[in-house]
């Protein structure tokens, strides 16, 4: 789900992805799509599922990411961008609004490092200052 920029539609077409958009230029920030399903309700009538189309979630995620990069980290080399994004993905997917408290978040973090090892290249002896 994106705004009305045409490039997103082109990417979705190339990747053969479904794509829905809201039109911010017409003050549309949320749109509802109702679809009749094969499921039946108690009366035997077809059920309708509603899809909410909005960019609020990605805009919220990007806002938090941007504040973190400009405020906390201040710089990120392109080769490490995926690491910063992984950290913000973890934060977003384990936030309090989703019912994850600090203790549960710490447990998930600790479980995520099992079996991983961070290594650094050893400096050459001639480059080490005593």
């Amino acid at each position: 789900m994106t705004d009305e920029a045409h490039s997103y539609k082109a990417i979705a077409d190339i990747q053969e992805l479904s794509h829905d958009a809201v039109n911010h230029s017409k003050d549309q920030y949320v749109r509802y799509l109702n679809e009749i399903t094969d499921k039946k309700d108690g009366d035997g009538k077809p059920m309708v599922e509603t899809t909410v189309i909005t960019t609020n979630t990605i805009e919220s995620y990007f806002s938090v990411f941007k504040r973190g990069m400009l405020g906390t980290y201040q710089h990120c080399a392109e080769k490490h961008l995926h690491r910063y994004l992984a950290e913000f993905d973890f934060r977003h997917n384990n936030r309090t609004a989703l019912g994850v408290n600090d203790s549960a978040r710490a447990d998930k973090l600790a479980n995520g490092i099992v079996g991983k090892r961070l290594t650094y290249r050893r400096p050459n002896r001639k480059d080490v200052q005593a």
Side-chain angles (χ1 to χ4, degrees):
M1 291 175 224
T2 65
D3 59 18
E4 69 272 12
H6 296 290
S7 57
Y8 298 126
K9 177 75 170 115
I11 292 169
D13 289 345
I14 291 168
Q15 298 287 327
E16 297 181 5
L17 302 170
S18 65
H19 177 258
D20 287 305
V22 291
N23 194 340
H24 287 161
S25 64
K26 293 184 179 176
D27 291 332
Q28 181 185 56
Y29 298 96
V30 64
R31 190 162 57 90
Y32 300 95
L33 181 65
N34 294 320
E35 296 178 302
I36 298 175
T37 67
D38 293 334
K39 300 174 190 171
K40 306 286 184 192
D41 65 9
D43 297 334
K45 296 178 184 175
M47 292 180 70
V48 175
E49 288 185 358
T50 301
T51 302
V52 179
I53 300 165
T54 181
T55 59
N56 289 349
T57 305
I58 189 62
E59 288 173 359
S60 171
Y61 176 92
F62 183 69
S63 174
V64 171
F65 176 71
K66 187 169 66 171
R67 278 188 309 228
M69 293 308 297
L70 295 175
T72 303
Y73 299 113
Q74 299 179 2
H75 175 73
C76 169
E78 185 177 343
K79 72 178 187 178
H80 297 298
L81 180 60
H82 67 284
R83 292 181 171 99
Y84 287 91
L85 287 169
E87 176 187 341
F88 281 91
D89 284 348
F90 178 83
R91 290 183 187 190
H92 182 78
N93 293 329
N94 295 288
R95 62 192 188 276
T96 306
L98 296 178
V100 181
N101 63 26
D102 290 341
S103 177
R105 190 176 308 108
D107 288 345
K108 285 185 179 187
L109 179 65
N111 288 333
I113 63 173
V114 172
K116 296 180 182 165
R117 183 173 169 210
L118 179 62
T119 59
Y120 293 95
R121 184 184 56 182
R122 294 189 55 88
N124 295 330
R125 292 263 181 221
K126 63 184 177 183
D127 295 338
V128 177
Q129 294 179 349

